[in-house]
Amino acid sequence: MSRPPVPRALAYGVALAWCGLPWSALAQPGSATPGSGWDAPPALRSSPLLQEKIPDAVRSQLPVFVKGDHISGQTDLNAVIEGHAELRRGDTVIHADRLDYDVPEDLAKARGQVRINRAGNVYEGTALELRVDAFEGFFSDARYKFLATQAHGDATRVDFIDRDRAVVHDATYTTCQRGDEASWQPDWVLRAAKIRIDNEEEVGTAEDAVLEFKGVSLLPIPYITFPLSEKRKSGFLPPTIGLDSRDGVAYMQPYYWNIAPNRDATLRTALMTKRGASLGGEFRYLEPTYSGQLSADVMPADRLRDRMRWSFSGQHQGTFDTPLGGLGLSLNLNRVSDDNYWRDFGRASEPLRQRLLPGDANLSWAQNDMTFRMRTLKWQTLQDATSPIVPPYDRLPQLQWRYAPSQLGGGLDASVELDATRFQAARELTGQPNANRSYAVAQISRPFLSPGGFITPRLQVHATQYQFDAALSNGQRNASRALPTFSLDSGLVFERDAAYFGRAFLQTLEPRAFYTYTPYRDQSMLPVYDTAANDFNFATIYTENAFGGNDRIADNNLLTLGVTTRLLDPGTGAEAARFGIAQRVRFSDQKVTLPGGTPVSERLSDLLLGAGITWTPQWGFDSTVQYNPKTGRSIRSTIGARYSPGNYRTVSAAYRLQRGTSEQIDIGWQWPLNDLWGDKGQDLGPGRGQGPGRWYTVGRLNYSLQDRKLVDTVVGLEYDSCCWIGRVVLERLQNSVSTSNTRLLFQIEFVGFSRLSLGSSPLDTFRQHVPRYQNLRDQVTPPSRFSNYD
């Protein structure tokens, strides 16, 4: 005769009393008085954190909890749970219609509607045998869903090897979310005879597989690995097939090698129908005290130029502590095979797309208040017959010592800098002799600071000595110059409470006056090696010298006056608006100029006007105008605005004018096209898109009003199907005054699996050219097992 069923609440209580503590807690020592497990309640330790991963040492000590409609068995031997059966241990939970648990073997056997939640990964099926702590066993007729990628699928059997590894037989794998209708089919699916899951390495491996898209088999895959997270892994990256106006049809195949957590390499090959084959690679390293990367490419026979093409780029930064002080080594080495490389290899890394390529090495030393550096810099200048460049001077070498005591009496600040440099270049191109130049700069200042303002007098002495390889036009082979400079910088800060448009602010008024005086010395005979005119802006208008470098020191007797007002949020201090104006008043002509320059005789400089408004986080405005009061016209203007009401919605526009040189309008955007027909989508947060079935338009247009033509054009579309994303972009970029390159890029991204591209990745193009572009799928934070807690 069967016993009546035990009430569920009573069964739950019995289960807790029987299984709620480790089994060893219920054992009775021979010499002790028998007692109950309730006599010694477990000690609790508070913690503000939930553990994402349970340590192995803790996991083996965790208790087993069971509950169900009916529980029977023997203490420390076995338990049989029937009806709504549940077994819980750590981050593993098993649900079933019936569950048999063998205590000594830690073996659970479940039948009926079986469901496992293992740290957020869910498996469902009809029959299970599992060693719970080791997570070793099998699952029949299983369905699964992984937390990290939201990928899911079906299998005839899942073999659990251990806590991190499993083998899925006759499996499907997709990230398309299952619909309610019975006829639902995923847009894309990977079907494989066997899929190996490695959660420790976060890599999946499929054997004898085929990838299907929209019911069509794209390609058979005998063997492939794919990521189970954003973690790096070795393997072939998706190939690129492109259509380019310069290269023709191009096929590019990269291979990624994850050498170590702090080292990796990417090997790349390419075939171009119009040009030939190329090989290349990149190596990166990251250590506690140094880091860097090396990149190289070679094309043995480029039919475009009928020659071998190659490039090399290397960067290194490192610091080392020694008993005598800290040592630093910095390298920036870039070289290419020929003058046309920048024009013909638009996909090269950023340093190699320039016409001036540095080969720069810096060795530095620092201890206490002293620093020393030894530098060599040799340029490669890529010449263009239609736009020649006067090459910059090499520094072979440069020696520099600086002393800046951090503690001086009387509140003084001071520094001394000594420099000796050998400047060398082809004289037939520069028109100047090579030279050895040395200089010494000493300065002392006394800042007087208070909450309501500041005043800083400063005195500087600059002495320079030249030794030329050849005589100057006046017959001199050496020259010297010594100049003092005095400056006085001062400013005040006023504050008041204010309200505009119904909003409270803390408003500031910050007037500033800067006076500087440097006597005149004739420097017209001195060559120029490292000097150029400073840009005229709010950062340079309050400085002593109108030139950057050490070959020209402007004779100045001028006063700069300016005022800035800001509106600050009284609660956060965030700047809602900023308005500024500044102008120089010159008391005598500036006679010192660069070669070919004109002395400055205007008593009033151009007026600088600036404004920045961030009234709300959605809106932004920024502008700087250089205005000439005499002509009543702006000399240079930059006006920009941005509207970003939410994720994946941003529009920016800028107007740039440099009178007589260029006038351009620049517009960039990313916006959901579905907004046009009233579909506003969902706010799922950054990196998650705005819901399935949505179109986005992305682009940037740069238009020259002076030439009446588009200079650069990037226009693209994105379609988010939830589990796959399609991208297409048309790109036309100007690479010289008279030539441009056009290419069509296409990409399909199978979310959580891979990206297959036609052309260079559209994502790279969007990120490089579209301000504030957001990728539709970017894992902002790793998923937590508690987000799928059972």
Side-chain angles (χ1 to χ4, degrees):
M1 180 177 178
S2 62
R3 294 179 294 175
V6 180
R8 189 171 184 180
L10 178 59
Y12 183 65
V14 172
L16 287 178
W18 179 37
C19 302
L21 297 173
W23 300 103
S24 58
L26 300 179
Q28 300 178 0
S31 59
T33 302
S36 169
W38 299 103
D39 294 341
L44 301 179
R45 181 167 54 91
S46 63
S47 172
L49 300 177
L50 294 172
Q51 290 181 306
E52 281 292 337
K53 188 173 182 179
I54 301 174
D56 290 340
V58 175
R59 184 184 293 275
S60 61
Q61 302 298 319
L62 291 176
V64 177
F65 298 89
V66 297
K67 71 176 181 178
D69 293 339
H70 185 276
I71 300 177
S72 61
Q74 295 176 287
T75 303
D76 291 343
L77 291 179
N78 70 299
V80 178
I81 307 99
E82 296 178 293
H84 302 95
E86 177 182 315
L87 183 146
R88 182 183 299 270
R89 183 172 190 179
D91 55 5
T92 302
V93 181
I94 303 175
H95 297 273
D97 293 337
R98 175 188 170 94
L99 194 150
D100 296 280
Y101 181 60
D102 187 320
V103 177
E105 296 293 328
D106 192 29
L107 177 63
K109 297 181 180 180
R111 298 293 183 269
Q113 298 181 9
V114 185
R115 184 175 185 269
I116 305 177
N117 187 324
R118 169 72 167 85
N121 297 324
V122 176
Y123 304 85
E124 296 179 329
T126 58
L128 168 72
E129 288 191 15
L130 182 71
R131 298 186 186 276
V132 180
D133 183 40
F135 209 76
E136 175 186 335
F138 70 88
F139 210 150
S140 298
D141 298 324
R143 297 183 303 275
Y144 59 90
K145 185 173 184 178
F146 298 133
L147 174 65
T149 61
Q150 293 298 297
H152 61 93
D154 302 324
T156 58
R157 178 183 170 105
V158 177
D159 290 328
F160 300 109
I161 309 302
D162 55 32
R163 297 169 188 158
D164 296 310
R165 280 166 283 274
V167 179
V168 188
H169 301 271
D170 298 324
T172 63
Y173 183 93
T174 183
T175 57
C176 299
Q177 298 307 304
R178 185 180 298 275
D180 296 331
E181 63 275 11
S183 60
W184 176 85
Q185 291 292 329
D187 284 354
W188 73 266
V189 62
L190 181 73
R191 302 184 187 276
K194 187 180 295 184
I195 295 179
R196 300 182 184 275
I197 302 297
D198 190 331
N199 288 313
E200 182 179 17
E201 297 295 329
E202 299 178 8
V203 172
T205 303
E207 302 174 10
D208 297 329
V210 62
L211 180 63
E212 295 181 3
F213 181 61
K214 293 291 186 178
V216 178
S217 298
L218 294 182
L219 68 160
I221 307 173
Y223 180 88
I224 190 174
T225 62
F226 54 91
L228 298 177
S229 69
E230 296 295 321
K231 186 177 179 180
R232 302 175 300 153
K233 71 179 187 68
S234 299
F236 285 101
L237 300 177
T240 295
I241 302 174
L243 182 61
D244 194 294
S245 61
R246 179 184 53 219
D247 302 337
V249 179
Y251 174 88
M252 284 150 280
Q253 177 62 68
Y255 178 84
Y256 179 77
W257 182 15
N258 186 24
I259 302 172
N262 60 336
R263 293 186 184 91
D264 65 8
T266 302
L267 308 177
R268 49 186 179 255
T269 61
L271 294 173
M272 291 164 272
T273 57
K274 290 186 178 180
R275 301 179 63 178
S278 70
L279 300 172
E282 180 184 69
F283 171 67
R284 302 186 300 177
Y285 53 93
L286 176 63
E287 299 289 346
T289 59
Y290 63 91
S291 63
Q293 64 181 41
L294 303 173
S295 179
D297 288 273
V298 61
M299 182 179 286
D302 186 356
R303 292 194 294 271
L304 180 65
R305 301 290 177 182
D306 195 24
R307 60 165 296 169
M308 184 177 77
R309 317 291 294 278
W310 57 266
S311 68
F312 171 81
S313 179
Q315 290 78 40
H316 173 89
Q317 295 285 341
T319 57
F320 306 91
D321 291 329
T322 71
L324 299 179
L327 290 178
L329 177 63
S330 173
L331 301 174
N332 182 21
L333 310 176
N334 304 275
R335 286 296 182 266
V336 297
S337 57
D338 56 89
D339 286 343
N340 289 305
Y341 198 92
W342 65 279
R343 190 198 316 270
D344 297 341
F345 291 88
R347 300 188 188 96
S349 60
E350 178 63 28
L352 302 179
R353 294 200 299 267
Q354 311 301 318
R355 292 181 59 190
L356 291 174
L357 304 180
D360 196 358
N362 268 283
L363 181 63
S364 61
W365 168 85
Q367 186 177 41
N368 298 328
D369 299 329
M370 287 189 294
T371 60
F372 173 81
R373 73 166 178 163
M374 180 173 63
R375 181 187 188 190
T376 62
L377 172 62
K378 189 172 181 61
W379 295 92
Q380 181 183 9
T381 305
L382 308 186
Q383 295 290 3
D384 184 351
T386 62
S387 180
I389 296 176
V390 176
Y393 277 87
D394 300 332
R395 304 183 185 214
L396 300 172
Q398 177 183 12
L399 304 176
Q400 187 178 89
W401 175 84
R402 179 178 172 82
Y403 174 63
S406 57
Q407 293 182 350
L408 283 178
L412 296 173
D413 286 339
S415 67
V416 178
E417 182 175 293
L418 305 179
D419 185 286
T421 304
R422 168 66 180 174
F423 291 101
Q424 188 169 308
R427 184 171 183 178
E428 62 273 14
L429 297 177
T430 64
Q432 299 181 151
N434 298 327
N436 296 325
R437 187 194 71 189
S438 58
Y439 70 80
V441 177
Q443 70 88 23
I444 187 169
S445 63
R446 173 53 168 98
F448 296 91
L449 307 176
S450 72
F454 70 93
I455 182 169
T456 305
R458 183 171 182 262
L459 180 64
Q460 175 183 287
V461 178
H462 192 296
T464 313
Q465 176 71 37
Y466 293 88
Q467 292 183 337
F468 305 111
D469 288 359
L472 301 179
S473 58
N474 60 2
Q476 290 183 326
R477 297 184 67 95
N478 55 67
S480 61
R481 175 198 61 195
L483 279 171
T485 296
F486 170 76
S487 66
L488 182 66
D489 195 7
S490 62
L492 296 172
V493 179
F494 301 97
E495 296 180 351
R496 68 163 188 161
D497 293 327
Y500 296 99
F501 305 103
R503 183 175 171 186
F505 292 103
L506 178 67
Q507 183 176 11
T508 69
L509 184 66
E510 305 167 35
R512 184 176 180 182
F514 176 82
Y515 174 77
T516 182
Y517 175 77
T518 304
Y520 170 71
R521 296 287 187 275
D522 184 6
Q523 304 167 52
S524 58
M525 297 301 295
L526 297 179
V528 174
Y529 297 105
D530 67 351
T531 302
N534 284 332
D535 189 38
F536 187 66
N537 54 44
F538 280 100
T540 61
I541 198 170
Y542 297 102
T543 55
E544 290 94 342
N545 195 4
F547 305 104
N550 294 279
D551 297 311
R552 291 291 186 273
I553 299 177
D555 56 315
N556 282 326
N557 184 12
L558 58 83
L559 174 67
T560 300
L561 298 174
V563 64
T564 299
T565 181
R566 296 186 294 159
L567 299 180
L568 307 177
D569 186 289
T572 64
E575 186 179 270
R578 180 192 70 258
F579 303 94
I581 184 172
Q583 189 175 35
R584 282 175 173 170
V585 181
R586 192 174 298 278
F587 301 112
S588 61
D589 295 352
Q590 179 186 305
K591 301 176 184 178
V592 176
T593 67
L594 292 171
T598 303
V600 181
S601 58
E602 296 290 342
R603 289 297 179 260
L604 293 178
S605 73
D606 291 341
L607 200 63
L608 276 181
L609 303 168
I613 301 175
T614 311
W615 201 258
T616 68
Q618 292 78 25
W619 287 93
F621 173 84
D622 194 75
S623 69
T624 303
V625 176
Q626 180 181 340
Y627 176 77
N628 188 311
K630 179 176 288 189
T631 63
R633 305 174 72 185
S634 63
I635 305 302
R636 279 193 318 174
S637 300
T638 300
I639 302 173
R642 169 191 56 83
Y643 176 56
S644 303
N647 292 313
Y648 310 105
R649 289 183 172 92
T650 183
V651 177
S652 61
Y655 169 78
R656 301 182 182 92
L657 166 69
Q658 188 156 354
R659 192 161 304 277
T661 303
S662 67
E663 186 177 10
Q664 294 183 342
I665 294 177
D666 194 276
I667 300 174
W669 71 91
Q670 180 185 22
W671 204 271
L673 278 175
N674 292 51
D675 284 4
L676 298 178
W677 49 87
D679 178 10
K680 296 298 183 181
Q682 309 169 56
D683 186 7
L684 301 176
R688 299 181 61 187
Q690 294 189 326
R694 296 182 60 75
W695 288 90
Y696 301 79
T697 175
V698 187
R700 184 174 184 178
L701 301 177
N702 183 265
Y703 183 78
S704 172
L705 295 172
Q706 183 172 290
D707 300 325
R708 297 184 178 180
K709 69 174 185 178
L710 284 169
V711 179
D712 291 332
T713 302
V714 175
V715 178
L717 290 173
E718 293 184 291
Y719 176 74
D720 187 355
S721 169
C722 189
C723 65
W724 64 273
I725 298 172
R727 299 182 178 95
V728 60
V729 59
L730 176 65
E731 176 189 282
R732 181 188 179 276
L733 301 178
Q734 200 84 14
N735 54 19
S736 73
V737 176
S738 57
T739 62
S740 62
N741 185 53
T742 302
R743 56 181 179 174
L744 181 66
L745 312 177
F746 176 75
Q747 182 181 74
I748 296 178
E749 175 183 350
F750 298 113
V751 176
F753 182 65
S754 183
R755 294 188 180 110
L756 300 178
S757 301
L758 296 178
S760 293
S761 172
L763 279 177
D764 295 338
T765 298
F766 291 155
R767 289 167 179 158
Q768 182 178 354
H769 295 285
V770 180
R772 301 175 70 91
Y773 170 80
Q774 286 183 285
N775 187 3
L776 295 177
R777 291 296 183 277
D778 262 337
Q779 194 175 88
V780 180
T781 56
S784 168
R785 69 183 178 94
F786 297 102
S787 63
N788 192 27
Y789 189 74
D790 200 336

